[in-house]
Amino acid sequence: MLWPGTLIGAGAGFAIASIPGAMLGALLGQALDRRLQLRSWAQLRERLGGRPALRNDELLFVLLGRLAKSNGRVVDGHIQQARVEMRSLDMTEPAQRRAIAAFNRGKSGTDRVRSYLRVLKSQPHAAEGVLRACWRMVWADGKASVAERDLIELWGKWLGWTPQQIQALAHDYEPDRKPLATRGGTYQEALRILGVSATTEPAVIKRAYRRLLSRHHPDKIAGSGASPAQVREATERTRELHSAYTIIREQRNFR
C-alpha cells in the first residue's frame, strides 16, 4: 500500500540528516498519513486542493450517482434506489447528508475514484458490496445500458475482479429473476456464479468455490461488523454458491 506522507517524510528527512533523518521523517509522515487517511497520491492531491478524502460510504454514493447519470438523465427509480441503499446501511442523519452530497457529486463525474477503488481491493467483502450496490442501481430503471456496464466493468477491474465475476453479479439483480437455488439454475449460470469456464480444471473449480464460500460465509461477515441486511445477502449468496457448485460437479462428474 502506498503512503505518500511517509515517502515524502522519508525523502525530506534523508536530504536533511541522512538515514536517521529519513527514519524520523518516515515516522512523522506515516502519522500524517494515518490522521488524514492518505493511501495514494490522488488522495494527497485532493487534500492539497481543499477536498477531503472520500470515506467508503461516500465513495459508494459517488459511484451510484455516476451510474444514475451515465445515460444523461436521473430517473425516480435511481433516487428511490439510493434511498434504499441508505436504509440498508442504517445511516445516521449526518451520514445520509454526506451520502446525498456524494451522490450529487457523482452525477457531475468530477471525483477521481480509481485510487480509492484500488485501496478497497484489499477489502474483498467491501469491494463486492460496492459492486452489488452498483448493479442494483443499474437495474433500478429496469434495464442495463452499455455505458453502465462499461463503468461497472472498469471499476471491477480496479477492484481486481474478472469480467466473468462481474457479470455473474449482474444476473443476481436482473428484474424478475429468482435466485439460482430456487429456479433450477443452468450450467452456464452456475459457471458465471463461480467465475469459471466450461474448460476449467476441477481442482481450480473447487478452489474457486471454497474461496468464494469463505469470503461470503455469514458468520465471518457478521463477525466483521456487517449490517443485518448484509448478513442476509451473504446467506443467500452462500446458498447460490452451494447450488452452483452442485450443478457444475454433476455436469462435469467429479467429487
Side-chain angles (χ1 to χ4, degrees), residues 220-235:
K220 180 177 180 180
I221 290 173
S224 67
S227 69
Q230 289 172 318
V231 173
R232 288 194 298 272
E233 187 174 272
T235 301

Side-chain angles (χ1 to χ4, degrees), residues 58 86 91-104:
E58 292 175 307
M86 283 189 279
M91 286 182 155
T92 63
E93 188 173 337
Q96 288 183 31
R97 288 197 295 268
R98 290 196 301 269
I100 292 170
F103 185 84
N104 289 330

Side-chain angles (χ1 to χ4, degrees), residues 2-244:
L2 177 63
W3 298 90
T6 303
L7 295 177
I8 292 173
F14 184 81
I16 295 172
S18 191
I19 294 177
M23 294 174 63
L24 178 59
L27 287 173
L28 294 174
Q30 187 174 76
L32 181 65
D33 282 329
R34 293 184 183 279
R35 181 175 180 82
L36 298 180
Q37 297 183 336
L38 298 177
R39 299 180 182 179
S40 70
W41 293 110
Q43 291 175 342
L44 177 61
R45 286 194 295 270
E46 288 189 3
R47 282 287 188 172
L48 293 175
R51 176 177 290 181
L54 287 174
R55 300 155 54 107
N56 280 0
D57 55 351
E58 292 175 307
L59 170 63
L60 170 61
F61 284 91
V62 165
L63 299 178
L64 297 182
R66 190 168 299 181
L67 282 171
K69 187 69 172 180
S70 62
N71 289 322
R73 180 169 172 264
V74 178
V75 301
D76 185 62
H78 294 136
I79 302 299
Q80 294 301 322
Q81 185 59 40
R83 290 172 179 164
V84 168
E85 298 297 338
M86 283 189 279
R87 287 196 297 270
S88 71
L89 293 171
D90 196 23
M91 286 182 155
T92 63
E93 188 173 337
Q96 288 183 31
R97 288 197 295 268
R98 290 196 301 269
I100 292 170
F103 185 84
N104 289 330
R105 286 210 315 273
K107 290 189 294 184
S108 70
T110 57
D111 284 85
R112 297 177 180 177
V113 299
R114 182 173 184 173
S115 62
Y116 294 100
L117 291 173
R118 287 190 164 176
V119 170
L120 202 62
K121 181 179 178 180
S122 63
Q123 305 171 44
H125 175 60
E128 179 168 346
V130 165
L131 289 174
R132 286 186 173 276
C134 285
W135 279 120
R136 289 193 290 268
M137 178 58 71
V138 165
W139 290 115
D141 62 354
K143 58 184 182 297
S145 70
V146 173
E148 290 168 329
R149 289 180 181 275
D150 286 348
L151 277 175
I152 294 183
E153 185 169 332
L154 177 62
W155 297 337
K157 178 182 177 182
W158 292 341
L159 288 169
W161 284 56
T162 67
Q164 292 81 8
Q165 290 171 324
I166 296 166
Q167 187 58 39
L169 292 185
H171 286 272
D172 290 349
Y173 299 101
E174 287 185 35
D176 301 322
R177 286 180 69 93
K178 296 179 181 178
L180 179 71
T182 63
R183 67 174 184 262
T186 69
Y187 180 51
Q188 291 301 321
E189 288 172 316
L191 291 172
R192 282 195 295 268
I193 285 173
L194 293 190
V196 297
S197 71
T199 58
T200 302
E201 292 293 327
V204 177
I205 293 173
K206 290 179 183 179
R207 287 198 296 271
Y209 167 66
R210 290 168 182 164
R211 183 176 63 253
L212 290 169
L213 203 61
S214 174
R215 180 189 299 172
H216 297 286
H217 198 286
D219 292 342
K220 180 177 180 180
I221 290 173
S224 67
S227 69
Q230 289 172 318
V231 173
R232 288 194 298 272
E233 187 174 272
T235 301
E236 183 56 45
R237 180 65 171 163
T238 297
R239 292 192 188 118
E240 292 231 323
L241 290 169
H242 283 310
S243 181

